[in-house]
Amino acid sequence: MKRVAILGATGLVGQRFVQLLANHPYFEISALAASNMSAAKPYKEAVAWRLDTPIPENVMDMIVQECKPTFECDYVFSALPSDIAGPIEDEFINAGYTVFSNAASHRMDDNVPLVIPEVNYQHMSIVQSQHTNGKIITNPNCSTIGLVMALKPIADLFDIEEVHVVTMQALSGAGYPGVSSLDVVDNVYPYINGEEEKIMTESKKILGNLNNGSIKPALFDIFAQCNRVPVVDGHLLSVFVKTKKPADVEQIKGAINNFQPLKTFNLPSAPEHPLVYLSQKDTPQPRLHRNLGRGMTVSVGQLTQFSERSLRFLALVHNTIRGAAGCAILNAEMYETMRY
Ligand code: NAP
């Protein structure tokens, strides 16, 4: 068993880590950390638990610590807010820890892998160019994960020229307590700070090519517009894609349902089907489909062809599982398997 610490353990993503790591076959939680406000309290008192399963027994009374690199552990999962994550993660890296981060701070650094294992686990090898005591591997922003997973079979079959995406993002994506109720009840809030930029830059890095130990970003154009909607979990994305080669809708649906790039690795958090195509005309829906594959499956629907090279579809991603903690844990499982 590898011992793991969680930074930001009291937040919404931190809670998902705690939930998903209960009874994990490779990892056991040895430390929980958060801000000074939570430090020195038992976890059950420090956390405003917002998940629909109880707090796991083994962490209930664990004392929350400050985010200082003094833990006895092998790996660190970071669920810290992006505006403070950078320097804290650096302290851990410099002290020799391997960090798997959800935060944006280091995602676009040249020698930092930005990984969704089913799409680009090969990019993880660039950790070898990090000349620090420890290492850092990041996972993308939650909307980007759903978008890029759904785009991957289309990119492989027909090459992508241009992408336009409009997001309808869940409340849990803003953390706890998140958005003011007066902004979202009876409303769609049409702005999420920094989100559009993240989608537009991260997607090209993930779908880029690994060349001599560095990533050359993909060259397609991408445009995003992001909205917060009154849904608890699950980001729905409306995507328009222009391909370079003439596309075939039935071939794409087949490729989505047969997308199993990690099958031979047998990783505990990898769903049998990372992508699923839903053929009913009113799908996917957040409340009905966000938990497919234990929250690790991205569902796609309404794939429509407008012309030889233009398509539209909807994609749904569980933002705190596949879009955050679940992806980071899958990255750590893959890292264990690859042993860089
Ligand atoms: P959150 O609910 O606001 O939780 C933030 C966590 O960070 C809490 O544990 C908080 O501890 C801790 N924290 C805040 N300030 C701190 C400080 N100065 N020092 C140490 N710890 C501090 O946020 P979240 O939604 O879980 O998001 C966490 C990270 O994941 C962010 O970088 C976010 O962008 C990223 N992310 C989130 C989602 C999502 O769907 N929510 C998806 C993908 C990525 P206290 O409780 O003690 O304040």
Side-chain angles (χ1 to χ4, degrees), residues 153-162 241-249 251-252 305 307-311:
I154 302 176
D156 287 347
L157 284 168
F158 304 115
D159 280 349
I160 293 176
E161 184 170 308
E162 194 171 310
V241 190
K242 195 164 180 190
T243 55
K244 287 190 179 154
K245 299 177 197 158
D248 181 298
V249 165
Q251 230 181 314
I252 296 170
Q305 188 153 25
S307 72
E308 243 191 356
R309 297 190 297 118
S310 58
L311 304 158

mmCIF file of all heavy atoms in Angstrom, residues 153-162 241-249 251-252 305 307-311:
data_model
loop_
_atom_site.group_PDB
_atom_site.id
_atom_site.type_symbol
_atom_site.label_atom_id
_atom_site.label_comp_id
_atom_site.label_asym_id
_atom_site.label_seq_id
_atom_site.Cartn_x
_atom_site.Cartn_y
_atom_site.Cartn_z
ATOM 1 N N PRO A 153 -11.999 10.477 -30.021
ATOM 2 C CA PRO A 153 -12.249 9.577 -31.159
ATOM 3 C C PRO A 153 -12.426 10.335 -32.480
ATOM 4 O O PRO A 153 -12.007 9.852 -33.529
ATOM 5 C CB PRO A 153 -13.556 8.862 -30.775
ATOM 6 C CG PRO A 153 -13.733 9.084 -29.324
ATOM 7 C CD PRO A 153 -13.018 10.349 -28.974
ATOM 8 N N ILE A 154 -12.994 11.541 -32.410
ATOM 9 C CA ILE A 154 -13.190 12.338 -33.631
ATOM 10 C C ILE A 154 -11.831 12.809 -34.149
ATOM 11 O O ILE A 154 -11.543 12.755 -35.353
ATOM 12 C CB ILE A 154 -14.127 13.542 -33.354
ATOM 13 C CG1 ILE A 154 -15.473 13.043 -32.824
ATOM 14 C CG2 ILE A 154 -14.304 14.402 -34.606
ATOM 15 C CD1 ILE A 154 -16.446 14.139 -32.418
ATOM 16 N N ALA A 155 -10.962 13.235 -33.231
ATOM 17 C CA ALA A 155 -9.619 13.685 -33.630
ATOM 18 C C ALA A 155 -8.848 12.539 -34.282
ATOM 19 O O ALA A 155 -8.182 12.727 -35.300
ATOM 20 C CB ALA A 155 -8.868 14.206 -32.406
ATOM 21 N N ASP A 156 -8.949 11.349 -33.691
ATOM 22 C CA ASP A 156 -8.208 10.196 -34.236
ATOM 23 C C ASP A 156 -8.717 9.808 -35.619
ATOM 24 O O ASP A 156 -7.937 9.445 -36.497
ATOM 25 C CB ASP A 156 -8.344 8.983 -33.301
ATOM 26 C CG ASP A 156 -7.527 9.161 -32.033
ATOM 27 O OD1 ASP A 156 -6.684 10.075 -31.989
ATOM 28 O OD2 ASP A 156 -7.743 8.383 -31.081
ATOM 29 N N LEU A 157 -10.039 9.892 -35.829
ATOM 30 C CA LEU A 157 -10.605 9.434 -37.108
ATOM 31 C C LEU A 157 -10.513 10.486 -38.207
ATOM 32 O O LEU A 157 -10.211 10.163 -39.363
ATOM 33 C CB LEU A 157 -12.094 9.085 -36.911
ATOM 34 C CG LEU A 157 -12.433 7.778 -36.215
ATOM 35 C CD1 LEU A 157 -13.918 7.749 -35.858
ATOM 36 C CD2 LEU A 157 -12.081 6.586 -37.105
ATOM 37 N N PHE A 158 -10.809 11.746 -37.870
ATOM 38 C CA PHE A 158 -11.027 12.735 -38.945
ATOM 39 C C PHE A 158 -10.228 14.029 -38.790
ATOM 40 O O PHE A 158 -10.385 14.917 -39.628
ATOM 41 C CB PHE A 158 -12.536 13.067 -39.033
ATOM 42 C CG PHE A 158 -13.387 11.840 -39.235
ATOM 43 C CD1 PHE A 158 -14.297 11.433 -38.268
ATOM 44 C CD2 PHE A 158 -13.254 11.070 -40.384
ATOM 45 C CE1 PHE A 158 -15.066 10.295 -38.444
ATOM 46 C CE2 PHE A 158 -14.025 9.924 -40.568
ATOM 47 C CZ PHE A 158 -14.929 9.536 -39.601
ATOM 48 N N ASP A 159 -9.390 14.139 -37.761
ATOM 49 C CA ASP A 159 -8.607 15.361 -37.495
ATOM 50 C C ASP A 159 -9.526 16.551 -37.241
ATOM 51 O O ASP A 159 -10.501 16.738 -37.958
ATOM 52 C CB ASP A 159 -7.688 15.732 -38.678
ATOM 53 C CG ASP A 159 -6.426 14.910 -38.677
ATOM 54 O OD1 ASP A 159 -6.193 14.230 -37.667
ATOM 55 O OD2 ASP A 159 -5.708 14.949 -39.690
ATOM 56 N N ILE A 160 -9.155 17.353 -36.276
ATOM 57 C CA ILE A 160 -10.015 18.488 -35.904
ATOM 58 C C ILE A 160 -9.435 19.796 -36.434
ATOM 59 O O ILE A 160 -8.240 20.049 -36.312
ATOM 60 C CB ILE A 160 -10.169 18.550 -34.371
ATOM 61 C CG1 ILE A 160 -10.955 17.324 -33.909
ATOM 62 C CG2 ILE A 160 -10.866 19.829 -33.942
ATOM 63 C CD1 ILE A 160 -11.087 17.210 -32.429
ATOM 64 N N GLU A 161 -10.324 20.605 -37.019
ATOM 65 C CA GLU A 161 -9.898 21.921 -37.505
ATOM 66 C C GLU A 161 -10.339 23.029 -36.548
ATOM 67 O O GLU A 161 -9.613 23.966 -36.275
ATOM 68 C CB GLU A 161 -10.505 22.164 -38.888
ATOM 69 C CG GLU A 161 -10.051 23.451 -39.529
ATOM 70 C CD GLU A 161 -10.479 23.533 -40.985
ATOM 71 O OE1 GLU A 161 -10.198 22.589 -41.747
ATOM 72 O OE2 GLU A 161 -11.133 24.530 -41.338
ATOM 73 N N GLU A 162 -11.560 22.885 -36.005
ATOM 74 C CA GLU A 162 -12.118 23.975 -35.190
ATOM 75 C C GLU A 162 -13.144 23.408 -34.206
ATOM 76 O O GLU A 162 -13.893 22.495 -34.554
ATOM 77 C CB GLU A 162 -12.806 24.964 -36.139
ATOM 78 C CG GLU A 162 -13.144 26.292 -35.542
ATOM 79 C CD GLU A 162 -13.628 27.262 -36.633
ATOM 80 O OE1 GLU A 162 -12.955 27.406 -37.662
ATOM 81 O OE2 GLU A 162 -14.706 27.835 -36.433
ATOM 82 N N VAL A 241 -18.091 20.928 -33.875
ATOM 83 C CA VAL A 241 -16.746 20.582 -34.352
ATOM 84 C C VAL A 241 -16.685 20.634 -35.863
ATOM 85 O O VAL A 241 -17.576 20.100 -36.540
ATOM 86 C CB VAL A 241 -16.356 19.124 -33.985
ATOM 87 C CG1 VAL A 241 -14.876 18.878 -34.270
ATOM 88 C CG2 VAL A 241 -16.675 18.790 -32.579
ATOM 89 N N LYS A 242 -15.626 21.234 -36.385
ATOM 90 C CA LYS A 242 -15.339 21.157 -37.816
ATOM 91 C C LYS A 242 -14.130 20.230 -37.976
ATOM 92 O O LYS A 242 -13.103 20.437 -37.309
ATOM 93 C CB LYS A 242 -15.023 22.555 -38.343
ATOM 94 C CG LYS A 242 -15.061 22.646 -39.821
ATOM 95 C CD LYS A 242 -15.132 24.118 -40.215
ATOM 96 C CE LYS A 242 -15.163 24.242 -41.715
ATOM 97 N NZ LYS A 242 -14.997 25.631 -42.141
ATOM 98 N N THR A 243 -14.260 19.199 -38.801
ATOM 99 C CA THR A 243 -13.156 18.252 -38.983
ATOM 100 C C THR A 243 -12.357 18.613 -40.236
ATOM 101 O O THR A 243 -12.842 19.342 -41.101
ATOM 102 C CB THR A 243 -13.698 16.813 -39.116
ATOM 103 O OG1 THR A 243 -14.664 16.783 -40.173
ATOM 104 C CG2 THR A 243 -14.344 16.348 -37.832
ATOM 105 N N LYS A 244 -11.141 18.057 -40.320
ATOM 106 C CA LYS A 244 -10.326 18.310 -41.524
ATOM 107 C C LYS A 244 -10.742 17.361 -42.648
ATOM 108 O O LYS A 244 -10.757 17.738 -43.808
ATOM 109 C CB LYS A 244 -8.842 18.120 -41.203
ATOM 110 C CG LYS A 244 -8.291 19.254 -40.357
ATOM 111 C CD LYS A 244 -6.782 19.185 -40.241
ATOM 112 C CE LYS A 244 -6.271 20.345 -39.415
ATOM 113 N NZ LYS A 244 -5.027 20.088 -38.750
ATOM 114 N N LYS A 245 -11.088 16.117 -42.286
ATOM 115 C CA LYS A 245 -11.505 15.139 -43.303
ATOM 116 C C LYS A 245 -13.021 14.969 -43.218
ATOM 117 O O LYS A 245 -13.613 15.206 -42.149
ATOM 118 C CB LYS A 245 -10.848 13.787 -43.012
ATOM 119 C CG LYS A 245 -9.340 13.806 -43.034
ATOM 120 C CD LYS A 245 -8.800 12.437 -42.653
ATOM 121 C CE LYS A 245 -7.343 12.506 -42.252
ATOM 122 N NZ LYS A 245 -6.913 11.399 -41.421
ATOM 123 N N PRO A 246 -13.686 14.530 -44.280
ATOM 124 C CA PRO A 246 -15.129 14.281 -44.223
ATOM 125 C C PRO A 246 -15.445 13.265 -43.119
ATOM 126 O O PRO A 246 -14.782 12.233 -43.013
ATOM 127 C CB PRO A 246 -15.446 13.715 -45.605
ATOM 128 C CG PRO A 246 -14.333 14.180 -46.478
ATOM 129 C CD PRO A 246 -13.117 14.269 -45.613
ATOM 130 N N ALA A 247 -16.429 13.593 -42.286
ATOM 131 C CA ALA A 247 -16.715 12.748 -41.113
ATOM 132 C C ALA A 247 -17.871 11.788 -41.366
ATOM 133 O O ALA A 247 -18.685 12.007 -42.263
ATOM 134 C CB ALA A 247 -17.047 13.657 -39.934
ATOM 135 N N ASP A 248 -17.909 10.728 -40.560
ATOM 136 C CA ASP A 248 -18.982 9.737 -40.671
ATOM 137 C C ASP A 248 -19.541 9.499 -39.262
ATOM 138 O O ASP A 248 -18.827 9.007 -38.378
ATOM 139 C CB ASP A 248 -18.410 8.436 -41.249
ATOM 140 C CG ASP A 248 -19.480 7.381 -41.417
ATOM 141 O OD1 ASP A 248 -20.095 6.961 -40.398
ATOM 142 O OD2 ASP A 248 -19.717 6.969 -42.562
ATOM 143 N N VAL A 249 -20.806 9.864 -39.068
ATOM 144 C CA VAL A 249 -21.417 9.839 -37.740
ATOM 145 C C VAL A 249 -21.451 8.424 -37.151
ATOM 146 O O VAL A 249 -21.152 8.226 -35.968
ATOM 147 C CB VAL A 249 -22.841 10.443 -37.829
ATOM 148 C CG1 VAL A 249 -23.642 10.117 -36.594
ATOM 149 C CG2 VAL A 249 -22.767 11.943 -38.010
ATOM 150 N N GLN A 251 -19.502 5.935 -37.759
ATOM 151 C CA GLN A 251 -18.136 5.534 -37.374
ATOM 152 C C GLN A 251 -17.748 6.166 -36.034
ATOM 153 O O GLN A 251 -17.121 5.532 -35.193
ATOM 154 C CB GLN A 251 -17.175 6.031 -38.463
ATOM 155 C CG GLN A 251 -16.226 4.954 -38.963
ATOM 156 C CD GLN A 251 -15.297 5.530 -40.030
ATOM 157 O OE1 GLN A 251 -15.759 6.231 -40.940
ATOM 158 N NE2 GLN A 251 -14.025 5.245 -39.921
ATOM 159 N N ILE A 252 -18.150 7.418 -35.834
ATOM 160 C CA ILE A 252 -17.823 8.096 -34.563
ATOM 161 C C ILE A 252 -18.566 7.425 -33.398
ATOM 162 O O ILE A 252 -17.973 7.147 -32.347
ATOM 163 C CB ILE A 252 -18.167 9.604 -34.624
ATOM 164 C CG1 ILE A 252 -17.309 10.299 -35.675
ATOM 165 C CG2 ILE A 252 -17.968 10.263 -33.261
ATOM 166 C CD1 ILE A 252 -17.724 11.733 -35.988
ATOM 167 N N GLN A 305 -24.845 15.583 -37.906
ATOM 168 C CA GLN A 305 -23.955 16.092 -38.964
ATOM 169 C C GLN A 305 -24.683 17.177 -39.742
ATOM 170 O O GLN A 305 -25.796 16.976 -40.224
ATOM 171 C CB GLN A 305 -23.568 14.937 -39.890
ATOM 172 C CG GLN A 305 -22.505 15.298 -40.890
ATOM 173 C CD GLN A 305 -21.683 14.094 -41.324
ATOM 174 O OE1 GLN A 305 -22.163 12.964 -41.257
ATOM 175 N NE2 GLN A 305 -20.465 14.337 -41.766
ATOM 176 N N SER A 307 -22.896 19.144 -42.247
ATOM 177 C CA SER A 307 -22.313 19.089 -43.590
ATOM 178 C C SER A 307 -21.184 18.070 -43.508
ATOM 179 O O SER A 307 -20.908 17.535 -42.433
ATOM 180 C CB SER A 307 -21.801 20.463 -44.015
ATOM 181 O OG SER A 307 -20.646 20.769 -43.282
ATOM 182 N N GLU A 308 -20.494 17.829 -44.608
ATOM 183 C CA GLU A 308 -19.449 16.795 -44.634
ATOM 184 C C GLU A 308 -18.480 16.899 -43.456
ATOM 185 O O GLU A 308 -18.066 15.910 -42.878
ATOM 186 C CB GLU A 308 -18.629 16.980 -45.925
ATOM 187 C CG GLU A 308 -18.725 15.810 -46.863
ATOM 188 C CD GLU A 308 -17.717 15.892 -48.000
ATOM 189 O OE1 GLU A 308 -16.978 16.903 -48.120
ATOM 190 O OE2 GLU A 308 -17.679 14.933 -48.765
ATOM 191 N N ARG A 309 -18.144 18.143 -43.079
ATOM 192 C CA ARG A 309 -17.086 18.312 -42.078
ATOM 193 C C ARG A 309 -17.567 19.043 -40.823
ATOM 194 O O ARG A 309 -16.762 19.494 -40.025
ATOM 195 C CB ARG A 309 -15.891 19.063 -42.710
ATOM 196 C CG ARG A 309 -15.240 18.286 -43.865
ATOM 197 C CD ARG A 309 -13.931 18.906 -44.309
ATOM 198 N NE ARG A 309 -14.113 20.241 -44.843
ATOM 199 C CZ ARG A 309 -13.564 21.346 -44.319
ATOM 200 N NH1 ARG A 309 -12.812 21.267 -43.256
ATOM 201 N NH2 ARG A 309 -13.777 22.514 -44.865
ATOM 202 N N SER A 310 -18.877 19.193 -40.664
ATOM 203 C CA SER A 310 -19.334 19.890 -39.448
ATOM 204 C C SER A 310 -20.336 19.049 -38.665
ATOM 205 O O SER A 310 -21.284 18.491 -39.212
ATOM 206 C CB SER A 310 -19.890 21.272 -39.777
ATOM 207 O OG SER A 310 -20.941 21.180 -40.671
ATOM 208 N N LEU A 311 -20.076 18.983 -37.341
ATOM 209 C CA LEU A 311 -20.826 18.110 -36.438
ATOM 210 C C LEU A 311 -21.197 18.874 -35.183
ATOM 211 O O LEU A 311 -20.495 19.825 -34.799
ATOM 212 C CB LEU A 311 -19.935 16.944 -35.973
ATOM 213 C CG LEU A 311 -19.296 16.063 -37.010
ATOM 214 C CD1 LEU A 311 -18.093 15.371 -36.393
ATOM 215 C CD2 LEU A 311 -20.315 15.025 -37.487
#
